[in-house]
Amino acid sequence: MATPDRHLPPAILLPMAGDGTIEWVLDTLFEPSADLHALAIPAIRNAQSIGSYEHLIKDVGALMTQLADSTAPDARAKLHGILGSHPRLGEKKVESAQSRAEQAHLNASEDSREKEIEAAKLKELNEEYEARFPGLRYVVFVNGRSRAVVMQNMRERIDRGDIRAEEREAIQAMVDIALDRAEKLKPLI
């Protein structure tokens, strides 16, 4: 598991790095996903150069968008595997150190009763979302937004009921989250 005090290696070195290093980078920037590894590692290996993490992240986002644009069932299954790797919002046990830190303020309420009520509502919304969009998890770049604002966004996306739009929003959210993480964990050179 990545630790918050570990920094990313220089992006330019990734095409020559071992699979373990590339997997760690992808897991740290996005979330652990065998489907993401299978999609991104060959592209990273074949890259002439990777000038920055911003470039890498946007390229991975473009690869995910290609899966979203595909009509092939296996492509959509891979995309859903990647998007479904993201932890549920508000989940008590979150494996990723980055996700734990990003979601920490969602659990910060002065009133424990209010916190319990909101946690129950969020759990219900997660369940409703996943029933509406099988194989997906609600993904949003929280970026300091309150639990109420995030839950309102989740409600709007459930009510919209458009899986294609949802896939695109989830891809963009994963890209935004990865860009934020890359900035926080940038190489020390």
Side-chain angles (χ1 to χ4, degrees):
M1 181 195 304
T3 57
D5 59 339
R6 185 166 174 193
H7 294 275
L8 297 168
I12 197 164
L13 300 178
L14 286 180
M16 295 141 315
D19 283 356
T21 298
I22 297 172
E23 288 173 3
W24 178 83
V25 167
L26 291 170
D27 293 353
T28 300
L29 295 175
F30 295 94
E31 288 295 329
S33 167
D35 289 318
L36 181 61
H37 298 165
L39 179 69
I41 289 175
I44 291 169
R45 292 249 178 264
N46 292 328
Q48 295 292 329
S49 71
I50 298 173
S52 69
Y53 277 100
E54 179 180 6
H55 181 120
L56 169 70
I57 292 163
K58 288 181 177 180
D59 284 353
V60 170
L63 291 171
M64 288 190 284
T65 299
Q66 288 174 2
L67 293 176
D69 290 341
S70 177
T71 57
D74 65 323
R76 303 293 297 293
K78 287 178 189 172
L79 176 63
H80 289 196
I82 294 166
L83 300 177
S85 69
H86 210 274
R88 285 179 185 90
L89 208 56
E91 193 83 359
K92 289 184 191 229
K93 184 177 180 190
V94 176
E95 297 295 324
S96 163
Q98 285 76 27
S99 287
R100 265 195 315 276
E102 291 156 359
Q103 292 188 30
H105 83 282
L106 290 177
N107 297 320
S109 175
E110 297 297 320
D111 180 354
S112 64
R113 178 72 180 133
E114 178 184 325
K115 183 178 172 180
E116 287 176 25
I117 291 168
E118 286 183 341
K121 286 180 186 175
L122 189 54
K123 184 177 188 293
E124 288 174 16
L125 282 170
N126 274 315
E127 290 169 359
E128 186 178 349
Y129 179 92
E130 291 174 27
R132 174 66 64 111
F133 305 113
L136 296 184
R137 295 259 174 88
Y138 172 75
V139 183
V140 68
F141 182 36
V142 174
N143 196 26
R145 290 187 273 183
S146 71
R147 184 180 274 192
V149 169
V150 169
M151 289 192 305
Q152 178 61 35
N153 175 261
M154 190 182 234
R155 167 55 49 213
E156 290 167 1
R157 288 166 60 177
I158 291 168
D159 291 346
R160 177 178 60 196
D162 182 343
I163 195 162
R164 295 290 187 158
E166 197 52 38
E167 290 167 344
R168 294 198 182 290
E169 282 208 43
I171 291 167
Q172 187 58 55
M174 287 187 83
V175 167
D176 292 342
I177 292 164
L179 289 168
D180 185 64
R181 290 176 178 181
E183 180 60 28
K184 291 173 181 168
L185 299 170
K186 62 186 167 192
L188 292 175
I189 59 167

